[in-house]
Amino acid sequence: MPHTRPRSPSSMPDVNWDVGLKEMNETWKGAVACIGVAIFFIMTIGIIYWQVMDQPNKNWILKGTVGGLIWERNTHTLILQTLSENKTYVEIDVGNFPDMEQNFVKNLCWLNKTDFCYTWDSITDLKITLDRKFSAGTECYNITWTPIHCDVKLKDCFSMTNVSWYGGASLSAQHWPMNNVKVALQPLVISNLKSSHGAYGSVLERYFLGSTGVSVLINPNVPISMTIEKNKYFCVETPASTERFPLQYTICIGQNIQTVHQEIGNQLYNSQRMLPNLNIVRMPLWKHYGVSDSAAKLERDVRSFHNKLRRHGLGDCLISLNEHSTMLLSMKDHILIADQGGQTRRHRRDPYTIKNLNISITSSLYQSVNSELLQKYLKEGQDNYWLSLRSHLDGSMTPILTKWKEQFSVRLNITSEAAINWYFTNVNKLIKKLGAEYLIIEGAEGNTFMEHAIQAPKELEGDSYSEYLAATAVEKLGNSAIITASTRSNHLPLFVQMHPLRSDWSYHGLKGIIPSVLHYSLLGYNFFIPDAVGGTLADEFITEEELFIRWLQIITFLPVMSFNTPPWVCCDNWVLNLTRQYIQKHQDLVAPILLKCSEDWMNTGIPIFRPVWWLSPEDPVAFTVDNEFLIGDEEKYGDVLYAQLSYTPKNTMLIAPITEKGKIQRDIFLPGKDYQWMDKSTSQVFDGGTVLRNYNCSLHEIPVFIKKTS
């Protein structure tokens, strides 16, 4: 039965609605419906085509006066290019991009032409700010990714395609550039490279420099991890956390790699640069290799070693005492001896017989649990001087055990002002008693808080531990500190001890010296002590004569000549004679140049040790040269200095040593096409911007070239 509805009585008459189509049969109705569907289908296809095919793959999102950022939507990549798009500075693979297709980029802060803002799928905010406060030709982009929710990781990867990268952290096998290494993802913090060969350390800055004229400076106050994929990219990422750490970095571009580094890199922290005690530059450093069980025997051994060095004609030197020897000397005043009657005992207070020698002593932030000294400290109520945990039972503090030099030890609690004052007071007393010239502080690597998953004070998170220690050492010791690790401290007046190397020809050994030198100097650490001739990682004397000689030749042109193996132990007499000659060359030629360059560095920030691309910033060949370096400056030295030198260095010197075993020839790249280079030994002159193939160099020679203006 059909459904009916009764009509309501009304005075309004019935109306028949007419749409102008008096009659439409079923055929016409079907045709109209089909046409409508077809039109809708065509419109849908058009919209999809416009969004997917007709939209450009690349969109300019922010432009400066030199270059700008392009968004490549297919690859989810930020591309920093010149405005003419004829040069790409760097490509940044945006790992923060969610797994979904975004059709185009829309600026949410478009009213300000120096900013770009965007939000992706309510996951992360992006803000890019253009900074033009630098000199003409240089501009920077401040990039900040901010997670909207907790537990969001932020990750950006910087491509190595057509870009050679430098900077970052020291590696146990240092390369130049860093494109040639592979490092697993791990926190970007300083570690002890002697025990952790695949980690980062011992000089680390969050500053990276690219051969295209680009630099990246990452916010040092946010924890990040980093990975390096050989010849592909290096990535930085923040941890997933409830604190919602942002990923912040500044990326700058300049005319070339040299100009952008001068503008950005040498002003990393905008602090007044200070010089350390440079007396060590003129004195070769000899590590005392003896093992003594008493302070008296140690003093006799040190004096004997000193006299032997003088008899062999090796001149004035600095003798470095290790931590064990330093500990023996520090305990000398506490040794009880019998008096003449044998009835009573008193403290021995004989004067130190090595006080008139040039020595350096070594101390660390660790104390072995087996040492009598630690037991004494604990009995005197100094247990709070060591990094400890509070007991849940009685509230007492229990020192945390860690490994130091293969022994279970405790580490100084540098969060305690009382502990710091106590430690440096004792150290300063010993320095004064011994007349020590320098103090080497070991154990500055790593962060015990991180190692034991302890919440560190805010000011000591990450590498702030090493930064704080370096600043404290300078405050307490002045300019005579040598430290084994450093970050954000390149302006401080201290020396950095390079990490130990293997006794071989690999990048873990001899071949890694020059890349390490260039890495340190690029980051502003021009005052360093290279590992001793022959390497010290194995704690054994070197026995290979050729390796000893080639190592000796390189360190002659570095700030300090450091020795562990005496030449009369490893080699024939002619090597001993050669050692004398190179020590003399360092003192007469190299040391005055380095002292002059030190003043220039303090005023200008220009690296003392420079890569060859410094003079060839546009030459791709120069970007991968890792076995040459430049020292000296571009101006003439004073007449007083000329009178002191057997040779007058009017310009930069190029040092090109042999780093391959058994070789007496090598290829040498001479940078700077506008210059000429003269071989210091033969006086032959060659054009810059060229490569000398199979250049002869005997075992007792090192190629040194002097730059001349054409």
Side-chain angles (χ1 to χ4, degrees), residues 308-584:
K308 196 168 187 177
L309 289 170
R310 293 184 66 87
R311 285 198 308 271
H312 284 289
L314 297 171
D316 292 333
C317 59
L318 182 71
I319 298 178
S320 176
L321 304 180
N322 60 25
E323 185 179 9
H324 172 73
S325 297
T326 302
M327 185 64 68
L328 281 178
L329 294 176
S330 69
M331 294 293 291
K332 178 177 178 179
D333 284 351
H334 302 285
I335 297 175
L336 298 176
I337 62 173
D339 63 11
Q340 293 180 352
Q343 300 298 318
T344 60
R345 303 180 69 84
R346 62 181 174 83
H347 285 287
R348 175 180 182 171
R349 298 192 181 278
D350 293 343
Y352 289 93
T353 61
I354 60 174
K355 189 171 183 179
N356 60 333
L357 305 181
N358 295 319
I359 65 171
S360 69
I361 58 177
T362 304
S363 180
S364 78
L365 306 178
Y366 295 88
Q367 191 63 242
S368 170
V369 296
N370 297 322
S371 69
E372 295 180 5
L373 200 57
L374 179 60
Q375 304 305 318
K376 173 180 175 293
Y377 295 151
L378 296 178
K379 288 180 181 179
E380 293 176 357
Q382 295 171 337
D383 52 338
N384 61 327
Y385 286 4
W386 312 100
L387 193 62
S388 306
L389 288 176
R390 188 173 298 279
S391 170
H392 294 295
L393 298 177
D394 57 7
S396 62
M397 299 299 291
T398 304
I400 299 172
L401 291 184
T402 187
K403 290 290 284 293
W404 172 247
K405 295 184 177 179
E406 306 306 322
Q407 292 187 359
F408 284 107
S409 306
V410 294
R411 186 169 185 171
L412 188 74
N413 180 14
I414 67 172
T415 64
S416 166
E417 184 176 354
I420 285 290
N421 290 334
W422 164 80
Y423 173 78
F424 281 104
T425 297
N426 288 340
V427 165
N428 274 311
K429 286 180 179 178
L430 187 58
I431 291 173
K432 186 175 181 180
K433 286 178 181 179
L434 298 174
E437 186 89 9
Y438 294 89
L439 173 73
I440 301 173
I441 301 178
E442 294 184 334
E445 306 90 344
N447 188 324
T448 305
F449 298 102
M450 293 181 60
E451 294 166 4
H452 295 276
I454 302 172
Q455 180 60 46
K458 192 69 177 177
E459 65 275 12
L460 293 179
E461 291 180 342
D463 282 323
S464 298
Y465 191 99
S466 299
E467 178 186 12
Y468 175 78
L469 182 60
T472 304
V474 170
E475 176 188 352
K476 303 293 184 181
L477 301 174
N479 65 348
S480 295
I482 300 171
I483 199 164
T484 55
S486 192
T487 184
R488 296 187 289 278
S489 307
N490 55 17
H491 61 287
L492 295 177
L494 49 76
F495 274 86
V496 180
Q497 173 68 58
M498 281 190 174
H499 64 273
L501 297 172
R502 295 179 187 172
S503 299
D504 61 28
W505 297 81
S506 71
Y507 281 98
H508 290 276
L510 173 70
K511 201 172 290 185
I513 299 175
I514 294 178
S516 294
V517 167
L518 296 175
H519 172 79
Y520 274 56
S521 195
L522 180 78
L523 298 183
Y525 296 91
N526 294 279
F527 306 103
F528 52 83
I529 300 176
D531 195 27
V533 172
T536 62
L537 191 61
D539 293 326
E540 297 176 352
F541 285 158
I542 179 177
T543 57
E544 186 179 345
E545 198 171 77
E546 183 186 3
L547 183 62
F548 183 97
I549 294 169
R550 293 307 191 191
W551 207 300
L552 170 68
Q553 291 169 343
I554 296 176
I555 69 165
T556 297
F557 295 88
L558 302 184
V560 180
M561 298 187 73
S562 177
F563 296 88
N564 183 58
T565 303
W568 63 81
V569 172
C570 85
C571 312
D572 292 335
N573 286 337
W574 78 274
V575 178
L576 176 59
N577 293 332
L578 193 66
T579 303
R580 292 192 197 101
Q581 294 173 22
Y582 277 106
I583 289 177
Q584 196 65 45

Side-chain angles (χ1 to χ4, degrees), residues 226-253:
M226 176 175 156
T227 183
I228 306 175
E229 186 65 36
K230 184 176 179 179
N231 292 324
K232 293 181 180 179
Y233 49 74
F234 71 93
C235 301
V236 293
E237 66 177 73
T238 59
S241 170
T242 57
E243 297 186 47
R244 293 189 295 173
F245 292 115
L247 178 59
Q248 296 177 310
Y249 56 88
T250 298
I251 187 165
C252 301
I253 56 175

